Amino acid sequence: MAELTKKELDEKYNHKDMPKIENYLFNFCGCFMKIFAITVFGVGAVILAVFVFPFIRLFTLRRKDFGVVARAYVSHTFRVFLGFLNLLHVSIKKVDNPEEYKNIHSKIIIANHPSLLDFVYIMSLVPNSTCIVRGGLTKTPLRGVIKQAYITNTTTFEDMCLECKKLTDMGCNVIIFPEGTRTPRHGKNNYKKGAARIALYCGCDVQPVFIGGSDKYGLGKHDPLWSYNHVEPYLYDFKKLPVISIDEYKDLSEPIAAKRLTDKMEEVLKSAGDDYYTNYSGKSRNNY
């Protein structure tokens, strides 16, 4: 896909529709706390990779044991981090029946992708899960954790499928954002077929999750680092949607099955977004 021109980027990601800042002190504090939280996250990732993971590896005899323990520890760490954000009043979580998320097993979890924190929240809710992330993150301070606990998209698609099947056969869940990148403020991204193809290869049903709440300005793609929601903290409102069974797609040829399943994913998430924001009473609307 060709890179977007500056005009196209501005049309998709500009924030001219944001309401005016109501309280400049609140906005300044929000920006500062957000950047502080990002720093804490990066330092925590280095500590996990350098000190915690080697300790876990030392006391787990089999590789699969390491994966299970490491993912559970990362999930716990994410819950602590998000609790820290809640304490700072930077980000607030709203989840109906959180216990239901702990009982998700061997599923391909899909979601819309409005912000940087989406996978952190989902992994905190679903302990035994991993995520397919972009390979560029291996060149950041997160690389130690990424290489040991996640699946990168730099490997061949066949290798990704094999790794996902191995994990889902063990009861693990794989988180995939079908858009492939964060949702733009205006318009939409085309849904990629990778999530559907992996679900069909693994023989796993798809668990859609809709992420609603307040506007995620400051955590979206191409948002300035020094930026924050103009009028309210980040609210993350999670809706666990009905499971999409892959049974009706199994007898179709792979290309047709992947296309129809991808269309179904997009339909389910878009419908959830339309219903959610019809009734949403917040001051600003989240992009979805």
Side-chain angles (χ1 to χ4, degrees):
M1 180 185 297
E3 291 189 9
L4 296 176
T5 64
K6 185 178 185 305
K7 181 179 179 181
E8 289 171 329
L9 279 173
D10 185 62
E11 288 176 351
K12 291 190 74 172
Y13 296 101
N14 79 75
H15 54 276
K16 296 175 183 177
D17 59 330
M18 286 287 293
K20 292 182 179 180
I21 296 174
E22 294 183 352
N23 185 321
Y24 282 92
L25 179 61
F26 164 81
N27 191 258
F28 176 85
C29 291
C31 292
F32 178 81
M33 290 300 182
K34 184 197 77 172
I35 294 172
F36 177 63
I38 291 173
T39 304
V40 170
F41 188 87
V43 172
V46 173
I47 292 173
L48 274 177
V50 175
F51 297 105
V52 178
F53 280 2
F55 183 82
I56 294 175
R57 219 178 262 284
L58 183 64
F59 288 93
T60 51
L61 299 178
R62 295 176 297 174
R63 183 176 177 83
K64 67 178 183 179
D65 291 335
F66 166 77
V68 171
V69 176
R71 286 190 292 273
Y73 195 88
V74 168
S75 178
H76 172 74
T77 304
F78 282 173
R79 286 194 294 275
V80 172
F81 173 72
L82 294 171
F84 171 67
L85 293 189
N86 185 68
L87 186 66
L88 295 177
H89 209 58
V90 171
S91 177
I92 303 166
K93 176 179 66 177
K94 180 182 177 184
V95 184
D96 296 329
N97 303 315
E99 290 300 318
E100 289 185 2
Y101 290 83
K102 296 179 181 179
N103 295 321
I104 300 175
H105 302 288
S106 298
K107 297 287 192 299
I108 302 300
I109 299 175
I110 63 163
N112 55 316
H113 193 12
S115 79
L116 281 171
L117 287 177
D118 303 333
F119 88 97
V120 178
Y121 269 110
I122 295 176
M123 289 194 69
S124 73
L125 289 168
V126 189
N128 192 21
S129 60
T130 188
C131 186
I132 295 180
V133 299
R134 60 185 177 86
L137 290 175
T138 59
K139 299 178 182 178
T140 70
L142 304 177
R143 62 181 176 272
V145 173
I146 295 295
K147 289 182 177 180
Q148 297 183 73
Y150 304 109
I151 303 170
T152 62
N153 61 6
T154 52
T155 59
T156 66
F157 187 75
E158 290 74 16
D159 287 342
M160 267 200 298
C161 287
L162 287 170
E163 183 66 19
C164 290
K165 182 164 176 55
K166 181 174 72 174
L167 291 170
T168 53
D169 284 349
M170 294 166 53
C172 181
N173 305 285
V174 179
I175 303 166
I176 305 175
F177 298 105
E179 292 174 84
T181 188
R182 275 169 282 168
T183 310
R185 294 191 61 80
H186 308 284
K188 66 175 186 175
N189 294 318
N190 293 324
Y191 274 46
K192 301 181 184 301
K193 299 176 185 176
R197 291 176 63 192
I198 290 173
L200 292 166
Y201 182 91
C202 296
C204 293
D205 291 336
V206 177
Q207 174 60 69
V209 175
F210 177 74
I211 305 171
S214 62
D215 197 296
K216 306 302 188 294
Y217 176 59
L219 296 175
K221 196 174 181 68
H222 299 297
D223 288 347
L225 180 62
W226 188 264
S227 59
Y228 189 72
N229 187 305
H230 287 181
V231 295
E232 57 192 331
Y234 297 125
L235 168 65
Y236 283 80
D237 191 358
F238 289 85
K239 303 295 181 184
K240 181 171 170 283
L241 305 174
V243 170
I244 300 173
S245 173
I246 64 166
D247 286 346
E248 63 181 282
Y249 306 98
K250 286 182 176 179
D251 295 331
L252 302 173
S253 65
E254 197 274 341
I256 294 176
K259 174 66 168 61
R260 291 186 181 178
L261 182 53
T262 301
D263 290 344
K264 181 65 175 179
M265 293 177 184
E266 183 172 7
E267 175 192 331
V268 167
L269 289 176
K270 185 179 185 307
S271 176
D274 290 340
D275 291 344
Y276 181 86
Y277 287 110
T278 297
N279 302 306
Y280 181 60
S281 58
K283 295 179 182 177
S284 59
R285 172 188 170 107
N286 171 40
N287 49 342
Y288 67 98

